[in-house]
Amino acid sequence: MKYPAPLRPDSRIAITAFSSGVPKSCHPRLDRCLDDLRRQGFVVVEGECLRSNQCYVSASLESRARELTAFLLDDSIDAIMPPWGGEIAMDLLSVLDFDSIAKAKPKWLAGFSDTSTLTSVITSQCDWATAHCTNLMQLHRLQQEPLTANTLAYLGSSEAFSQYPSEKYQINGESYDENPDAVFNLTESTRWKVLGGSQQGVAFSGRLLGGCLDTLCHLLGSDYLDLKCFQKRYSQDGIILFLENAEFSPTALIRALLGLKYRGTFNLVKGLLIGRNPSDEQHGQSLTYQQALSYALKGLEIPIIYDVDIGHLPPNLTLINGALADVSLIDDRGKIHQRLI
């Protein structure tokens, strides 16, 4: 596994929206986040595919691919951060040259949601460590929640770091176009849970890999995200797969997970981390998400922890795709220790 250099003051961070761009109404928020990067001593390199959004993307496929490739191959760049995710970053996969990317100096590619379409694939294809973490547009200087406020510090780690569950999480937050200084509205108590089996706790280790289920359910098992090949390369360590659901209803979640189950995905991993799901009330269905998980994942002989700080109900852990992780949830006390080896 090839790890990018730890972020330091004077590190050059490229900002490009390779999925959804930022409409004009949210430019004040974007500018605040970019200014805060500069305040911390980082050099911001702003791309052209950023400050517009039409038909779910910031620019044409050719423009987005050209700009992202230029940043990925530019050895003066230390990190690439899109403003947020989006919908169809998958269209980039067929036009990126992963052989050339693998030969370049690794740099941090960081974010969640549709960003994980690329982070997971680049780790799988190129053996670059990448970061599933808080998005740039959430990194406001007034945001004090620890997992979020320390995101760039985690990317500045050179050896190892530990993270623990948040105290509270957000269900509903303010829009950035209405309030460019919005921070999280943390109202719900966080509790990681073990799915089935012993409620006293579980512990397992392996290399992390994962992202947004909405897109990864289409990629896992493909040539772009071949978990079997990745598992063979790191068979001594094994894999911890992490997944989070953005928009699936409980029944759609069952279908997505059963699809992975039928393809043998879960037979290749040592443990599974599942992020918080959107509230059941949002879909108005009698089937709960916990019931959906239990239905789809029954019979798996691997430890499964759910309601983890991953995904679209912030805050987010910083999970390094490719890092060797020790995960535990004992007596309701969760911990993830990541080693960058």
Side-chain angles (χ1 to χ4, degrees):
M1 187 58 55
K2 294 174 282 189
Y3 292 92
L7 291 186
R8 297 285 186 263
D10 295 331
S11 291
R12 291 168 58 83
I13 301 180
I15 312 298
T16 180
F18 53 74
S19 186
S20 291
V22 182
K24 188 174 182 179
S25 61
C26 289
H27 287 182
R29 173 68 174 207
L30 174 63
D31 289 334
R32 283 162 168 77
C33 295
L34 296 180
D35 286 345
D36 191 49
L37 290 179
R38 297 184 183 100
R39 183 185 61 82
Q40 296 178 69
F42 299 113
V43 177
V44 173
V45 181
E46 184 173 324
E48 295 180 0
C49 301
L50 181 61
R51 292 181 178 268
S52 62
N53 194 59
Q54 290 186 327
C55 298
Y56 301 103
V57 292
S58 64
S60 68
L61 171 60
E62 293 75 19
S63 295
R64 287 181 289 124
R66 183 168 55 251
E67 181 163 280
L68 177 61
T69 296
F71 286 144
L72 287 168
L73 300 183
D74 184 347
D75 286 350
S76 74
I77 298 295
D78 300 293
I80 302 168
M81 297 186 73
W84 45 30
E87 303 289 343
I88 52 174
M90 194 181 294
D91 67 349
L92 290 163
L93 299 182
S94 64
V95 296
L96 292 179
D97 184 346
F98 293 106
D99 289 336
S100 295
I101 294 168
K103 295 173 184 176
K105 184 194 81 171
K107 57 273 299 171
W108 289 113
L109 183 62
F112 76 98
S113 190
D114 201 26
T115 301
S116 68
T117 303
L118 286 215
T119 55
S120 60
V121 169
I122 285 179
T123 296
S124 174
Q125 290 276 328
C126 306
D127 290 308
W128 282 18
T130 60
H132 188 278
C133 63
T134 300
N135 281 326
L136 171 68
M137 291 285 274
Q138 296 174 325
L139 294 178
H140 191 285
R141 64 180 180 82
L142 298 179
Q143 181 58 259
Q144 298 301 309
E145 190 284 319
L147 287 178
T148 306
N150 287 316
T151 298
L152 296 177
Y154 294 134
L155 298 184
S157 299
S158 59
E159 295 182 357
F161 61 91
S162 297
Q163 295 171 100
Y164 305 87
S166 63
E167 292 186 6
K168 292 183 179 295
Y169 67 93
Q170 170 181 285
I171 290 181
N172 296 305
E174 293 183 86
S175 65
Y176 296 146
D177 55 354
E178 294 178 1
N179 181 8
D181 293 312
V183 295
F184 295 151
N185 178 31
L186 302 171
T187 59
E188 311 301 310
S189 295
T190 297
R191 184 184 170 217
W192 297 3
K193 308 178 186 75
V194 176
L195 187 70
S198 171
Q199 295 304 305
Q200 292 183 345
V202 294
F204 49 98
S205 300
R207 291 199 180 266
L208 291 165
L209 188 67
C212 183
L213 178 64
D214 303 49
T215 180
L216 264 58
C217 70
H218 302 292
L219 292 174
L220 282 162
S222 73
D223 290 341
Y224 294 112
L225 191 53
D226 189 333
L227 202 63
K228 186 176 292 187
C229 286
F230 189 79
Q231 193 271 344
K232 286 181 180 179
R233 293 203 301 279
Y234 297 100
S235 58
Q236 183 175 351
D237 306 314
I239 299 171
I240 296 173
L241 182 65
F242 63 89
L243 298 168
E244 61 94 6
N245 166 32
E247 297 178 343
F248 285 148
S249 68
T251 50
L253 177 62
I254 289 175
R255 291 193 295 268
L257 291 173
L258 285 178
L260 295 181
K261 190 177 185 179
Y262 295 158
R263 294 201 294 272
T265 299
F266 302 124
N267 296 333
L268 299 170
V269 304
K270 295 175 64 177
L272 184 59
L273 300 175
I274 299 178
R276 283 185 287 266
N277 281 293
S279 65
D280 298 321
E281 293 78 9
Q282 178 177 331
H283 294 280
Q285 300 193 22
S286 58
L287 182 67
T288 68
Y289 277 104
Q290 193 276 333
Q291 290 172 324
L293 291 175
S294 296
Y295 186 90
L297 300 176
K298 62 185 176 183
L300 293 185
E301 297 182 355
I302 57 173
I304 301 170
I305 302 176
Y306 69 103
D307 281 357
V308 181
D309 293 284
I310 308 170
H312 287 71
L313 298 181
N316 266 282
L317 296 157
T318 296
L319 298 178
I320 306 300
N321 282 307
L324 192 58
D326 303 309
V327 177
S328 61
L329 179 56
I330 309 293
D331 296 328
D332 280 338
R333 288 176 291 198
K335 178 181 179 180
I336 299 180
H337 180 71
Q338 298 178 64
R339 290 172 282 160
L340 308 187
I341 57 176

